[in-house]
Amino acid sequence: MLSEDLRLRRALLPETAADDPLLRLQEETRLGDGIIRLRATTHPEEIRIGGVLVMCPHCGARRDWMVICDRSEISIRCRCAHQWVEPELTHADYEALIDVGGRDYPSLEAAAQAVGYDGTLAGTYLP
């Protein structure tokens, strides 16, 4: 039953989006009214949640984060490419962390690679 629903949903995608993985990803990350629901920003400073310093559970980093807002879920990504959901952070917290400006990328992976959160700069703190 589930596979039939999935096939039906795929069949309803626009012809171009079904053929091109990049267009399909862009369609999936936009709401019906054209608003992008996945956003990300970099945050070079420490983040404290309820007075507790956020640390990467994989490498122990304490600052220089990529903060990702996917609808109402907030994730933190380290330069070692480890990413986790922070249930204590809200959309309002994300808005407070946003830097001025920014750039749109076709996917989270492309953004992570462009700003160095794909693991290539693991263990590196940038000024």
PDB file of all heavy atoms in Angstrom, residues 61-74:
ATOM      1  N   ALA A  61      34.467  20.000  19.045  1.00  0.00           N
ATOM      2  CA  ALA A  61      34.515  21.422  18.696  1.00  0.00           C
ATOM      3  C   ALA A  61      33.522  22.202  19.553  1.00  0.00           C
ATOM      4  O   ALA A  61      32.475  21.689  19.940  1.00  0.00           O
ATOM      5  CB  ALA A  61      34.192  21.610  17.218  1.00  0.00           C
ATOM      6  N   ARG A  62      33.879  23.470  19.830  1.00  0.00           N
ATOM      7  CA  ARG A  62      33.047  24.301  20.701  1.00  0.00           C
ATOM      8  C   ARG A  62      32.540  25.569  20.038  1.00  0.00           C
ATOM      9  O   ARG A  62      31.789  26.321  20.645  1.00  0.00           O
ATOM     10  CB  ARG A  62      33.839  24.683  21.944  1.00  0.00           C
ATOM     11  CG  ARG A  62      34.210  23.476  22.751  1.00  0.00           C
ATOM     12  CD  ARG A  62      35.025  23.841  23.927  1.00  0.00           C
ATOM     13  NE  ARG A  62      35.312  22.620  24.682  1.00  0.00           N
ATOM     14  CZ  ARG A  62      36.028  22.577  25.761  1.00  0.00           C
ATOM     15  NH1 ARG A  62      36.552  23.682  26.241  1.00  0.00           N
ATOM     16  NH2 ARG A  62      36.238  21.447  26.371  1.00  0.00           N
ATOM     17  N   ARG A  63      32.964  25.820  18.811  1.00  0.00           N
ATOM     18  CA  ARG A  63      32.491  27.004  18.090  1.00  0.00           C
ATOM     19  C   ARG A  63      32.629  26.763  16.587  1.00  0.00           C
ATOM     20  O   ARG A  63      33.112  25.726  16.179  1.00  0.00           O
ATOM     21  CB  ARG A  63      33.258  28.262  18.498  1.00  0.00           C
ATOM     22  CG  ARG A  63      34.745  28.214  18.207  1.00  0.00           C
ATOM     23  CD  ARG A  63      35.413  29.532  18.644  1.00  0.00           C
ATOM     24  NE  ARG A  63      36.834  29.492  18.391  1.00  0.00           N
ATOM     25  CZ  ARG A  63      37.405  29.889  17.257  1.00  0.00           C
ATOM     26  NH1 ARG A  63      36.667  30.369  16.282  1.00  0.00           N
ATOM     27  NH2 ARG A  63      38.712  29.824  17.104  1.00  0.00           N
ATOM     28  N   ASP A  64      32.208  27.740  15.797  1.00  0.00           N
ATOM     29  CA  ASP A  64      32.306  27.684  14.342  1.00  0.00           C
ATOM     30  C   ASP A  64      31.327  26.667  13.770  1.00  0.00           C
ATOM     31  O   ASP A  64      31.702  25.610  13.271  1.00  0.00           O
ATOM     32  CB  ASP A  64      33.744  27.388  13.915  1.00  0.00           C
ATOM     33  CG  ASP A  64      34.013  27.858  12.500  1.00  0.00           C
ATOM     34  OD1 ASP A  64      33.181  28.598  11.946  1.00  0.00           O
ATOM     35  OD2 ASP A  64      35.046  27.476  11.935  1.00  0.00           O
ATOM     36  N   TRP A  65      30.036  27.005  13.817  1.00  0.00           N
ATOM     37  CA  TRP A  65      28.969  26.090  13.442  1.00  0.00           C
ATOM     38  C   TRP A  65      28.260  26.499  12.158  1.00  0.00           C
ATOM     39  O   TRP A  65      28.264  27.652  11.781  1.00  0.00           O
ATOM     40  CB  TRP A  65      27.904  26.049  14.545  1.00  0.00           C
ATOM     41  CG  TRP A  65      28.441  25.773  15.897  1.00  0.00           C
ATOM     42  CD1 TRP A  65      28.545  26.659  16.938  1.00  0.00           C
ATOM     43  CD2 TRP A  65      28.970  24.542  16.382  1.00  0.00           C
ATOM     44  NE1 TRP A  65      29.092  26.034  18.032  1.00  0.00           N
ATOM     45  CE2 TRP A  65      29.369  24.731  17.723  1.00  0.00           C
ATOM     46  CE3 TRP A  65      29.152  23.282  15.814  1.00  0.00           C
ATOM     47  CZ2 TRP A  65      29.920  23.724  18.490  1.00  0.00           C
ATOM     48  CZ3 TRP A  65      29.702  22.276  16.581  1.00  0.00           C
ATOM     49  CH2 TRP A  65      30.083  22.497  17.908  1.00  0.00           C
ATOM     50  N   MET A  66      27.602  25.539  11.557  1.00  0.00           N
ATOM     51  CA  MET A  66      26.606  25.785  10.521  1.00  0.00           C
ATOM     52  C   MET A  66      25.274  25.451  11.183  1.00  0.00           C
ATOM     53  O   MET A  66      25.105  24.354  11.711  1.00  0.00           O
ATOM     54  CB  MET A  66      26.840  24.897   9.304  1.00  0.00           C
ATOM     55  CG  MET A  66      25.853  25.096   8.199  1.00  0.00           C
ATOM     56  SD  MET A  66      26.277  24.005   6.807  1.00  0.00           S
ATOM     57  CE  MET A  66      25.535  24.913   5.491  1.00  0.00           C
ATOM     58  N   VAL A  67      24.359  26.407  11.206  1.00  0.00           N
ATOM     59  CA  VAL A  67      23.062  26.210  11.844  1.00  0.00           C
ATOM     60  C   VAL A  67      22.026  26.087  10.730  1.00  0.00           C
ATOM     61  O   VAL A  67      21.948  26.937   9.844  1.00  0.00           O
ATOM     62  CB  VAL A  67      22.722  27.371  12.802  1.00  0.00           C
ATOM     63  CG1 VAL A  67      21.423  27.106  13.526  1.00  0.00           C
ATOM     64  CG2 VAL A  67      23.855  27.593  13.793  1.00  0.00           C
ATOM     65  N   ILE A  68      21.241  25.020  10.780  1.00  0.00           N
ATOM     66  CA  ILE A  68      20.310  24.677   9.709  1.00  0.00           C
ATOM     67  C   ILE A  68      18.886  24.695  10.247  1.00  0.00           C
ATOM     68  O   ILE A  68      18.608  24.106  11.283  1.00  0.00           O
ATOM     69  CB  ILE A  68      20.641  23.280   9.151  1.00  0.00           C
ATOM     70  CG1 ILE A  68      22.087  23.252   8.668  1.00  0.00           C
ATOM     71  CG2 ILE A  68      19.678  22.886   8.047  1.00  0.00           C
ATOM     72  CD1 ILE A  68      22.770  21.948   8.880  1.00  0.00           C
ATOM     73  N   CYS A  69      18.018  25.372   9.529  1.00  0.00           N
ATOM     74  CA  CYS A  69      16.602  25.440   9.899  1.00  0.00           C
ATOM     75  C   CYS A  69      15.806  24.745   8.811  1.00  0.00           C
ATOM     76  O   CYS A  69      15.737  25.220   7.680  1.00  0.00           O
ATOM     77  CB  CYS A  69      16.165  26.891  10.042  1.00  0.00           C
ATOM     78  SG  CYS A  69      14.429  27.066  10.480  1.00  0.00           S
ATOM     79  N   ASP A  70      15.246  23.589   9.127  1.00  0.00           N
ATOM     80  CA  ASP A  70      14.403  22.840   8.200  1.00  0.00           C
ATOM     81  C   ASP A  70      13.002  22.841   8.767  1.00  0.00           C
ATOM     82  O   ASP A  70      12.707  22.087   9.699  1.00  0.00           O
ATOM     83  CB  ASP A  70      14.927  21.416   8.032  1.00  0.00           C
ATOM     84  CG  ASP A  70      14.170  20.625   6.986  1.00  0.00           C
ATOM     85  OD1 ASP A  70      13.281  21.198   6.336  1.00  0.00           O
ATOM     86  OD2 ASP A  70      14.467  19.435   6.821  1.00  0.00           O
ATOM     87  N   ARG A  71      12.170  23.726   8.240  1.00  0.00           N
ATOM     88  CA  ARG A  71      10.839  23.993   8.777  1.00  0.00           C
ATOM     89  C   ARG A  71      10.992  24.462  10.215  1.00  0.00           C
ATOM     90  O   ARG A  71      11.566  25.494  10.448  1.00  0.00           O
ATOM     91  CB  ARG A  71       9.930  22.787   8.637  1.00  0.00           C
ATOM     92  CG  ARG A  71       9.549  22.554   7.194  1.00  0.00           C
ATOM     93  CD  ARG A  71       8.794  21.276   7.014  1.00  0.00           C
ATOM     94  NE  ARG A  71       9.625  20.437   6.173  1.00  0.00           N
ATOM     95  CZ  ARG A  71       9.685  19.129   6.252  1.00  0.00           C
ATOM     96  NH1 ARG A  71       8.965  18.486   7.122  1.00  0.00           N
ATOM     97  NH2 ARG A  71      10.454  18.460   5.456  1.00  0.00           N
ATOM     98  N   SER A  72      10.567  23.698  11.195  1.00  0.00           N
ATOM     99  CA  SER A  72      10.696  24.132  12.586  1.00  0.00           C
ATOM    100  C   SER A  72      11.788  23.367  13.323  1.00  0.00           C
ATOM    101  O   SER A  72      11.979  23.547  14.513  1.00  0.00           O
ATOM    102  CB  SER A  72       9.361  23.963  13.314  1.00  0.00           C
ATOM    103  OG  SER A  72       9.001  22.601  13.319  1.00  0.00           O
ATOM    104  N   GLU A  73      12.539  22.513  12.622  1.00  0.00           N
ATOM    105  CA  GLU A  73      13.595  21.718  13.247  1.00  0.00           C
ATOM    106  C   GLU A  73      14.945  22.397  13.024  1.00  0.00           C
ATOM    107  O   GLU A  73      15.291  22.740  11.897  1.00  0.00           O
ATOM    108  CB  GLU A  73      13.592  20.320  12.624  1.00  0.00           C
ATOM    109  CG  GLU A  73      14.585  19.376  13.235  1.00  0.00           C
ATOM    110  CD  GLU A  73      14.452  18.000  12.620  1.00  0.00           C
ATOM    111  OE1 GLU A  73      15.072  17.767  11.570  1.00  0.00           O
ATOM    112  OE2 GLU A  73      13.720  17.179  13.194  1.00  0.00           O
ATOM    113  N   ILE A  74      15.685  22.597  14.099  1.00  0.00           N
ATOM    114  CA  ILE A  74      16.984  23.258  14.020  1.00  0.00           C
ATOM    115  C   ILE A  74      18.083  22.215  14.232  1.00  0.00           C
ATOM    116  O   ILE A  74      18.053  21.456  15.195  1.00  0.00           O
ATOM    117  CB  ILE A  74      17.127  24.368  15.091  1.00  0.00           C
ATOM    118  CG1 ILE A  74      15.929  25.329  15.061  1.00  0.00           C
ATOM    119  CG2 ILE A  74      18.449  25.103  14.926  1.00  0.00           C
ATOM    120  CD1 ILE A  74      15.743  26.084  13.776  1.00  0.00           C
TER     121      ILE A  74
END
